[in-house]
Amino acid sequence: MEAIRALNELPKNIAAAIRGLYTDPNSIWADLTMTLIGMILVIVIIVISALLLIVLERKIAGWGSQRPGPNRLGPRGWFQTIADALKLLGKEDLTPGNADKFMFKIAPMFVFGIPILTLAIIPFGYYMTVIDLELGVFFYLGITSLSTLAFLMAGWSSNNKYSLLGGMRAVAQMISYEIPLIFSLLGVVMLTQTFNLTKIVEAQAALPFIFLQPIAFIIFLICGQAEVNRAPFDLIEADQEIIAGPFTEYTGLRWGLFYLGEYANLVAMCALAATVFLGGWQGPAILPGWAWFWLKVGLLIFISMWVRWTFPRIRIDHLMHFAWKVLLPLALLNILLTGLGIYIYQLVIGG
């Protein structure tokens, strides 16, 4: 127990030691230093996670479809991602002649930069939040909605009809699924009366909200899969219709940023789900809190990959029908049931 407590408090002690280097540990310079260190760690987490998840997804795809997967480069093929990264770095960076060059070049940066901002507000463990915002849930939803703009910028600026069609499909899909995703989080906000993610985790010390909000959890997982544009919701690219959609004209490292951005957004989405519905770092004292957090995130990522390699891509009309006529009514019903449950609970406690 003492060892687990020491591991839980290790980040807090490290932060105190760094702040102790300043005359005033609570000065603005100390705060800026801690924020800078935290943002660098978030970037490192994203890059390492993306490199691992790329080869892990290939392994899961091989397991699910009874194929070997990468097994040549490195021990059991685990160095395959390094070879892919070197290949992308060696490819020529081409820009279409009539493209809007400024928008074309910054669109991939948007997609890769958004998860950095969202993960900065996620509590990875006890005293392990880079920026602890009171409006954390609101901030997360506001920042992730900007990824819609990034895909539209990529499609519009490419001067390619396939890219434009893919960008418009991305806008239609992501806006549609964003609405039930937001409503799925409202049940938790109603229970906790806060938007602060740290307080939401602390409220789950006795019981994770997945048991109180099972419908909302399922809706969130489905909408999250659509928000990060993963199969069976990868409608922004369809080789039989629009080739690679908004990515068609991208080459080399810029295409690689889109690819890494997908995995970074997947990590961010699963981190939010683990925080809001699975208790975040809360867990039995056999492991430190940050270990429980990443185990939960890993489980959700595995489920996402399993779904991707199990279900085929659905049609665009079915996709929109599912969002507006199935998920949205269910999300509204969950809000109604949550409010009714809170009212009955207050009546019982008050009586």
Side-chain angles (χ1 to χ4, degrees):
M1 293 293 292
E2 292 298 328
I4 299 299
R5 186 177 299 132
L7 288 174
N8 272 327
E9 295 183 354
L10 180 62
K12 181 179 180 180
N13 294 333
I14 293 175
I18 295 174
R19 287 181 176 276
L21 298 175
Y22 291 87
T23 305
D24 181 6
N26 296 316
S27 66
I28 186 174
W29 297 110
D31 293 339
L32 287 174
T33 300
M34 294 307 304
T35 302
L36 179 62
I37 293 173
M39 295 301 293
I40 292 173
L41 290 176
V42 166
I43 295 173
V44 170
I45 288 172
I46 288 176
V47 173
I48 294 176
S49 298
L51 293 176
L52 289 176
L53 292 179
I54 290 171
V55 67
L56 181 62
E57 180 146 43
R58 291 179 175 181
K59 292 287 187 180
I60 293 175
W63 165 72
S65 55
Q66 295 184 345
R67 293 179 293 173
N71 61 359
R72 291 289 185 269
L73 192 61
R76 298 183 178 272
W78 283 97
F79 292 166
Q80 183 65 46
T81 306
I82 299 176
D84 292 340
L86 293 175
K87 178 184 70 174
L88 286 175
L89 289 172
K91 285 186 175 293
E92 186 177 2
D93 180 23
L94 299 176
T95 303
N98 295 322
D100 186 324
K101 293 180 172 55
F102 176 73
M103 292 179 63
F104 184 84
K105 291 179 179 180
I106 67 172
M109 302 177 190
F110 262 69
V111 173
F112 187 72
I114 286 171
I116 298 175
L117 297 176
T118 53
L119 283 174
I121 64 167
I122 298 291
F124 301 117
Y126 176 70
Y127 206 80
M128 289 184 68
T129 309
V130 178
I131 304 173
D132 190 13
L133 293 179
E134 285 299 321
L135 295 176
V137 175
F138 190 80
F139 176 84
Y140 186 100
L141 295 173
I143 292 297
T144 52
S145 65
L146 294 177
S147 58
T148 305
L149 180 62
F151 287 112
L152 182 60
M153 289 166 55
W156 179 268
S157 64
S158 295
N159 192 35
N160 179 305
K161 290 182 174 60
Y162 293 112
S163 299
L164 177 59
L165 183 58
M168 296 303 294
R169 280 167 62 151
V171 171
Q173 171 181 321
M174 296 175 74
I175 290 178
S176 298
Y177 279 83
E178 207 169 86
I179 296 172
L181 183 143
I182 293 172
F183 285 161
S184 70
L185 294 174
L186 282 181
V188 173
V189 173
M190 292 168 66
L191 291 172
T192 58
Q193 298 293 301
T194 181
F195 287 100
N196 186 291
L197 291 173
T198 300
K199 293 178 181 177
I200 290 175
V201 172
E202 292 171 350
Q204 300 175 75
L207 184 69
F209 286 143
I210 186 176
F211 297 108
L212 300 176
Q213 296 282 302
I215 298 176
F217 177 67
I218 294 172
I219 293 172
F220 184 90
L221 287 187
I222 295 173
C223 293
Q225 190 85 349
E227 280 291 293
V228 297
N229 301 302
R230 292 176 61 81
F233 304 105
D234 54 339
L235 267 293
I236 63 170
E237 51 178 318
D239 37 353
Q240 73 272 27
E241 301 170 32
I242 53 173
I243 315 177
F247 315 135
T248 301
E249 298 292 347
Y250 283 90
T251 60
L253 187 58
R254 296 190 194 281
W255 179 87
L257 286 177
F258 279 115
Y259 194 56
L260 290 177
E262 176 184 326
Y263 287 100
N265 280 303
L266 175 62
V267 172
M269 191 65 67
C270 292
L272 181 64
T275 300
V276 173
F277 293 103
L278 301 183
W281 74 78
Q282 304 280 5
I286 57 175
L287 291 173
W290 47 266
W292 279 117
F293 174 81
W294 287 112
L295 282 174
K296 295 171 184 177
V297 172
L299 175 62
L300 294 175
I301 290 174
F302 172 76
I303 292 174
S304 173
M305 291 181 176
W306 196 355
V307 167
R308 176 178 182 179
W309 296 102
T310 301
F311 297 98
R313 180 188 291 124
I314 63 177
R315 273 174 22 192
I316 182 68
D317 56 324
H318 292 171
L319 177 93
M320 303 302 286
H321 177 278
F322 187 58
W324 290 103
K325 295 187 178 181
V326 179
L327 294 180
L328 182 57
L330 280 176
L332 292 172
L333 175 62
N334 180 73
I335 293 174
L336 175 63
L337 294 176
T338 302
L340 184 61
I342 293 173
Y343 178 72
I344 293 174
Y345 178 78
Q346 290 175 344
L347 282 180
V348 173
I349 295 298

